[in-house]
Amino acid sequence: EIAHSKGTTKEKYERIVSLYNSQVILSHRTSQSILLQQYSTPAPIAYLMGVFCGLPNLHKTGGIAFEPSAGNGLLTIAAKPEQVYVNEIDYTRNRNLQTQGFANVSNFDATDPFSYQDAEGTYDAVLTNPPFGALDKAVDFHSFPIRVLDHLMALRALETMKNDGKAAIIIGGHTRWDELGRIEKGKNRIFFNYLYRYYRIADVIQIDGHKLYTRQGTGFPVRLILIDGRKQKP
């Protein structure tokens, strides 16, 4: 309700921060949430991600946003639900999403390509905070070996974005650099090499999880990746 009330973006954001700070710390976790690494995105971050992606104006432009690992839908708070397609494989969370008035609710495996639902290049905005974790084996993603679950799910999500669309993605961990100023060799360098090859990266913001995720039941460091379209030529 705050996200769609009167006032400037800054005023709404400050009210959401105040609401978040009054939230009880989520210390109880279920076996399912532990197994699937289910953490909700803090509301202030979710709102700013939506603002970057233009969610508050989608109802004016007729645009559609997509959240491919939607959980209970918090990441979409800046949009009117009728402008958002959501996907969630967990039965209970999917059932919760079906009560919120979203334009479409699906239950596909978000580690697979979304081509089977004709979603490639479809959405004006893509927002996702996929579960963190390692893959049992590397996935060959257009010749890039992807070894991390949230990296793979982020790349699958980006395939559904229009060429001139926007995306906001949260992935786990912090980026570190070697003595030459390059991203350290390994899984992160491979992932970001792919992103910077094919997408216009507006920013990559390191977030202190101990400060901003504590009320969600974790303190894991994360990165917020902001994307402003796909490159015409890699």
Side-chain angles (χ1 to χ4, degrees), residues 14-45:
E14 288 175 345
R15 289 168 63 192
I16 290 171
V17 169
S18 178
L19 179 66
Y20 177 73
N21 286 332
S22 68
Q23 179 180 319
V24 175
I25 294 176
L26 179 62
S27 58
H28 174 72
R29 301 193 64 210
T30 66
S31 59
Q32 183 81 342
S33 67
I34 294 170
L35 176 66
L36 298 178
Q37 288 297 293
Q38 294 170 322
Y39 297 104
S40 295
T41 309
I45 301 175

Side-chain angles (χ1 to χ4, degrees), residues 5-19:
S5 61
K6 293 183 179 180
T8 65
T9 297
K10 184 174 185 294
E11 289 169 344
K12 294 176 187 177
Y13 171 74
E14 288 175 345
R15 289 168 63 192
I16 290 171
V17 169
S18 178
L19 179 66

Side-chain angles (χ1 to χ4, degrees), residues 210-226:
H210 292 288
K211 291 184 177 180
L212 289 171
Y213 266 79
T214 302
R215 295 184 184 279
Q216 309 304 126
T218 185
F220 198 70
V222 299
R223 287 158 287 183
L224 172 58
I225 304 169
L226 303 177

Side-chain angles (χ1 to χ4, degrees), residues 146-189:
I146 302 300
R147 298 182 174 86
V148 182
L149 176 63
D150 37 321
H151 294 181
L152 176 62
M153 293 178 69
L155 295 176
R156 295 291 190 211
L158 284 172
E159 289 182 318
T160 71
M161 185 187 75
K162 290 181 178 179
N163 288 338
D164 60 351
K166 288 190 173 184
I169 299 167
I170 288 179
I171 61 169
H174 273 181
T175 305
R176 303 186 186 281
W177 293 267
D178 64 17
E179 67 280 358
L180 297 179
R182 303 171 299 188
I183 292 178
E184 286 184 345
K185 186 177 181 180
K187 58 190 180 183
N188 283 298
R189 185 186 291 185

Side-chain angles (χ1 to χ4, degrees), residues 114-135:
F114 284 95
S115 55
Y116 45 72
Q117 62 163 338
D118 298 322
E120 288 190 37
T122 296
Y123 301 108
D124 301 273
V126 174
L127 301 94
T128 186
N129 179 9
F132 308 150
L135 295 167

